[in-house]
Amino acid sequence: MADSRETLAAFVVGSPIRHSRSPLIHGHWLRQFELEGSYRALEVLPTDFEPFIASLKADRRYRGGNVTIPHKERAFELADQPDALAEELGAANTLWLEDGLLKATNTDGYGFTANLDQYHPGWDKAHCAVILGAGGASRAVIQAVRDRGIGEIHVVNRTQSRAKALADRFGERVHAHPMEALAELMADARLFINTTSLGMDGEAAPEIDFSPMRFDAVVTDIVYVPLETPILAMAKAQGFATVDGLGMLLHQAVPGFEKWFGRRPVVDDALRALVVRDMEAHG
Ligand code: ATR
């Protein structure tokens, strides 16, 4: 029988993987719980992903792991038992071995809502939300916001056909719109979510006038580099509450850690400070 310390191991797999902050997050929790586990970043190219998944099941070196770009869709397809969340998204970011089966879920939506729960409790009283963007990252957000019971979810995207595809996928409470509709849609919204790459990594973002929104609306961005994105800075300058996207990254890691290592970790200020310091040091 394998040494139990040997099996207390998890990974994050992606390509490129060297900028992943997941090892920092899970390493922090492993130390906090004084567990002799490990969490490693694994660089695996798309052509090697299927054999990688096969080896996971064969050699049992890992309890499971996280999956990031570009493997989330393939991970879902290759899992033996994706849950309903992953099934609807067609993508998985968390894998674990259980009863000899490779199980899969997607915790991005949980991370998104847990971040808002932490920094803006009551956000889910919003009847109406506007989501900017219809790329891969917006799917889990749409699903999570819908599952928390937000009545009307308006997806606004430069390419309207992509927004339409998501509206079709996520049901009758989700509607697709072109960019021009933004101001009108904002009038009813108490939640504004940017899921586009606008403003990422120091890029400029177009000016957004948030003034049509209710005074008690909250604006959040899933981009967290920089922490205060141009969209958040604009919203704040216009007097709106804002929540940055770093907490989504931190919270999405919680369910995986619990599956692999048996303890439910907490997203605390020390963890956030650790990741912020790393971002400041390495960009
Ligand atoms: P991700 O998986 O990170 O969401 P993606 O699938 O490439 O990445 O989606 C990026 C999102 O940002 C899309 O909604 C994209 O709009 P399009 O669907 O029209 O491409 C949006 N986006 C990126 N650059 C943009 C820009 N300059 N103006 C408006 N939207 C932009």
Side-chain angles (χ1 to χ4, degrees):
M1 181 153 163
D3 179 340
S4 65
R5 282 193 297 176
E6 199 53 40
T7 59
L8 212 57
F11 59 83
V12 55
V13 61
S15 184
I17 200 63
R18 70 178 185 284
H19 297 301
S20 172
R21 295 201 162 86
S22 293
L24 191 66
I25 297 168
H26 291 281
H28 171 80
W29 287 331
L30 285 169
R31 282 193 304 280
Q32 214 169 47
F33 287 118
E34 298 181 357
L35 292 172
E36 296 225 28
S38 70
Y39 183 96
R40 298 189 185 91
L42 306 176
E43 173 82 31
V44 173
L45 294 171
T47 44
D48 298 330
F49 190 68
E50 194 165 343
F52 169 76
I53 292 290
S55 75
L56 272 185
K57 291 175 63 175
D59 66 24
R60 310 274 175 100
R61 277 177 57 208
Y62 294 103
R63 298 255 171 115
N66 285 125
V67 180
T68 188
I69 291 168
H71 302 311
K72 289 184 182 183
E73 283 82 8
R74 201 74 190 110
F76 158 72
E77 288 163 7
L78 294 170
D80 299 315
Q81 226 177 69
D83 70 2
L85 291 173
E87 191 88 49
E88 188 182 36
L89 295 171
N93 77 338
T94 303
L95 304 174
W96 69 100
L97 283 163
E98 194 178 314
D99 306 327
L101 295 175
L102 187 64
K103 304 204 173 181
T105 188
N106 198 307
T107 66
D108 287 332
Y110 166 77
F112 178 79
T113 56
N115 185 37
L116 284 178
D117 286 338
Q118 183 173 4
Y119 289 105
H120 200 85
W123 66 272
D124 55 344
K125 305 276 186 294
H127 171 69
C128 171
V130 170
I131 299 182
L132 187 60
S138 77
R139 290 185 196 180
V141 171
I142 296 170
Q143 183 190 55
V145 166
R146 181 202 61 192
D147 289 352
R148 279 293 282 266
I150 307 300
E152 298 296 323
I153 299 160
H154 299 292
V155 181
V156 177
N157 198 46
R158 177 178 61 181
T159 310
Q160 210 194 333
S161 57
R162 293 185 87 188
K164 173 81 170 62
L166 295 188
D168 291 345
R169 178 188 283 248
F170 291 104
E172 58 187 18
R173 281 190 278 134
V174 182
H175 314 282
H177 305 273
M179 288 291 214
E180 301 76 67
L182 200 54
E184 193 184 329
L185 294 167
M186 284 203 298
D188 287 329
R190 274 175 69 191
L191 177 61
F192 182 101
I193 306 157
N194 177 47
T195 71
T196 73
S197 48
L198 289 169
M200 194 189 260
D201 287 328
E203 298 285 321
E207 197 63 36
I208 297 177
D209 176 10
F210 291 99
S211 65
M213 284 204 304
R214 289 173 50 130
F215 72 96
D216 56 352
V218 58
V219 176
T220 187
D221 199 326
I222 68 168
V223 172
Y224 59 89
V225 183
L227 266 185
E228 182 172 88
T229 63
I231 287 177
L232 292 182
M234 284 175 221
K236 201 184 268 183
Q238 293 174 43
F240 290 93
T242 60
V243 177
D244 71 50
L246 181 55
M248 177 176 174
L249 172 75
L250 306 179
H251 283 283
Q252 64 76 32
V254 169
F257 189 95
E258 188 177 22
K259 289 258 183 248
W260 313 314
F261 302 120
R263 307 287 289 271
R264 189 158 182 98
V266 171
V267 173
D268 58 13
D269 291 345
L271 177 63
R272 187 178 160 92
L274 183 75
V275 176
V276 169
R277 273 201 304 281
D278 184 70
M279 286 165 60
E280 284 165 359
H282 301 109

